[in-house]
Amino acid sequence: MVHPPSPLHDMQHRGNVEGSVWNKEMQTVFDSGFHSFPLALSCSGETLLGQLEATRKMASLSNDFVHAARMYGEIIITERHLPIKEKTVKPVTDHIGGIAGGHKYIVRGILFKFAVKTHLMFHNDEEAMKVAGHELRCLMCLYNVLVPSVSLPLLCLIDYRGYRLVASSILPIDRSTIVYGSCDAGETLHDSEPVLQSAMAKMATRLNLKPHSIASRSGNCTANMHMCYDIEGHRGRDERLYLIDFARIMPPELLSSYRYGSLFRLLRPELVREHGEPLNSDAFSRGLQVEPDGEREIADATFRMLNEVIPQFAQWIESLDSEQEHGEESDTNGVGERTDEGARKATRELGSGAKGAADGEACDR
């Protein structure tokens, strides 16, 4: 298991060395035969016992990771407004890059970045926090449909003093190792790894996502994508296949003119999975799709959510005697958790044709 965190004075110097520890522990669990719980249910006898042991190891590793991330994340947030020279944990943004999240930090092999607006993205921090929430939610979706040839990072969110940090394990990858998707907002596209292409197709089918063609912004190439074009697939320096950047895996709802809406106004995984037709993650990525594809299906899913799922859910919660039962049922309906009164309000507004107001109640932001 991962050892307890070291004293603060040397934790950052050891960051690059220990960056591989979390991932090595993770790969050890995968090599032991770990599968997501739904797939593990198909095992039997001795194989199932091995799955249970691998699942126990995964839970233990995840708890260790969350403990370390929370400890150092709270320090980073507490010292956010201090001058850099006075910070216990110094930022390493110059060595990492990227426009989202402001300063980046590495502590004990964990990469931290703030979920905040920048001059290029989002209107406010709330929108950036919602995107971070989607990153974690979509990663969990992939764990539930994961195929053995693909590896994923450890990731968690730290909410503290009004800020949100995204903490992820460091992987043996860089810009030169990308083989699938895009690491530069679609300027270039990659699709050079048949094994990963096949794995993405299988996982997308299980999530009910639609394959589609994307053209690069530069116009130099096209690629067949099974999820969002800005997910990144890498052939790591250890020769394993890794995926990162999951926030846009789920398709957007039918959009108005709201800027950046396609980044966080997303349909819930439960709704997507139960929809009758596969849905396109890049349905409203103007200027990138080879041809408009999937917008009709997105419209159908959005209206189904507004006109069927929410009213049915509101009727159901009207009959509830327990607030706890409400929380347990809400996600299975493809609607994010909301207060009883919020759902009642959505139903009343739907009845009067007020789509915009109900739209705000409908998706988990």
Side-chain angles (χ1 to χ4, degrees):
M1 294 306 299
V2 177
H3 296 296
S6 60
L8 292 179
H9 71 273
D10 71 337
M11 63 185 178
Q12 203 165 13
H13 295 289
R14 299 176 61 184
N16 291 333
V17 175
E18 296 192 358
S20 61
V21 172
W22 296 110
N23 187 56
K24 285 181 179 179
E25 292 280 348
M26 185 75 152
Q27 301 317 316
T28 299
V29 174
F30 279 122
D31 290 343
S32 68
F34 173 81
H35 295 293
S36 62
F37 186 71
L39 297 181
L41 291 177
S42 62
C43 301
S44 60
E46 195 171 313
T47 304
L48 181 57
L49 292 177
Q51 280 294 304
L52 292 174
E53 177 62 17
T55 301
R56 185 195 64 78
K57 291 179 180 178
M58 175 66 79
S60 180
L61 176 63
S62 299
N63 287 336
D64 285 352
F65 179 81
V66 171
H67 173 76
R70 181 182 294 118
M71 177 186 299
Y72 297 127
E74 290 181 358
I75 293 172
I76 292 170
I77 291 173
T78 299
E79 298 181 343
R80 173 173 171 77
H81 298 290
L82 289 179
I84 291 179
K85 65 180 180 180
E86 296 181 19
K87 293 178 183 287
T88 305
V89 183
K90 305 295 191 294
V92 293
T93 308
D94 293 340
H95 303 289
I96 298 177
I99 63 174
H103 286 312
K104 314 293 193 304
Y105 303 81
I106 294 179
V107 190
R108 290 282 298 194
I110 303 175
L111 171 65
F112 294 88
K113 58 183 179 181
F114 278 95
V116 295
K117 70 177 288 293
T118 69
H119 67 289
L120 295 175
M121 295 178 66
F122 308 120
H123 297 97
N124 50 57
D125 290 351
E126 180 185 2
E127 294 176 357
M129 291 179 181
K130 291 173 181 177
V131 171
H134 287 306
E135 180 90 5
L136 179 59
R137 182 177 295 110
C138 290
L139 174 59
M140 293 168 64
C141 288
L142 287 182
Y143 268 114
N144 286 331
V145 298
L146 192 62
V147 298
S149 58
V150 176
S151 298
L152 300 173
L154 290 161
L155 186 144
C156 69
L157 304 180
I158 298 97
D159 292 330
Y160 186 63
R161 296 189 174 182
Y163 292 99
R164 171 168 285 184
L165 275 176
V166 181
S168 59
S169 56
I170 296 177
L171 304 177
I173 62 175
D174 55 41
R175 293 177 72 90
S176 69
T177 62
I178 188 168
V179 294
Y180 185 89
S182 178
C183 61
D184 54 11
E187 285 296 323
T188 55
L189 296 169
H190 303 267
D191 184 18
S192 60
E193 180 58 65
V195 174
L196 185 55
Q197 180 71 253
S198 175
M200 296 297 285
K202 291 177 182 177
M203 292 188 290
T205 298
R206 294 168 183 171
L207 294 172
N208 199 30
L209 296 176
K210 183 178 183 179
H212 53 282
S213 295
I214 290 288
S216 65
R217 295 186 189 278
S218 62
N220 294 331
C221 62
T222 61
N224 295 319
M225 295 284 109
H226 294 277
M227 299 183 193
C228 54
Y229 72 84
D230 50 354
I231 195 172
E232 295 182 28
H234 291 258
R235 173 67 74 175
R237 291 185 291 273
D238 58 359
E239 292 302 313
R240 295 178 184 270
L241 291 171
Y242 293 96
L243 289 177
I244 61 171
D245 290 354
F246 319 101
R248 281 201 326 108
I249 287 178
M250 288 297 118
E253 65 177 31
L254 183 63
L255 298 175
S256 62
S257 59
Y258 196 85
R259 193 179 183 191
Y260 307 123
S262 62
L263 299 179
F264 63 87
R265 299 173 71 95
L266 309 183
L267 298 173
R268 288 195 63 87
E270 298 82 7
L271 187 74
V272 173
R273 186 177 61 244
E274 295 174 3
H275 192 65
E277 301 173 281
L279 300 178
N280 185 347
S281 300
D282 293 319
F284 296 97
S285 297
R286 304 294 185 186
L288 286 172
Q289 293 197 89
V290 173
E291 59 184 34
D293 185 16
E295 296 184 9
R296 178 190 61 79
E297 292 94 335
I298 296 294
D300 290 345
T302 302
F303 290 132
R304 172 174 166 259
M305 173 182 65
L306 294 170
N307 297 320
E308 297 179 21
V309 176
I310 291 179
Q312 291 172 6
F313 179 60
Q315 290 174 3
W316 179 79
I317 62 174
E318 288 282 0
S319 65
L320 284 183
D321 296 325
S322 165
E323 199 173 282
Q324 180 180 0
E325 292 180 39
H326 165 210
E328 291 172 352
E329 181 73 14
S330 58
D331 283 351
T332 64
N333 283 302
V335 181
E337 285 191 23
R338 292 292 180 268
T339 63
D340 290 356
E341 181 55 35
R344 294 189 190 98
K345 178 182 177 184
T347 306
R348 291 194 297 269
E349 289 170 339
L350 279 169
S352 62
K355 175 192 176 296
D359 184 64
E361 298 286 345
C363 289
D364 183 39
R365 305 289 185 250

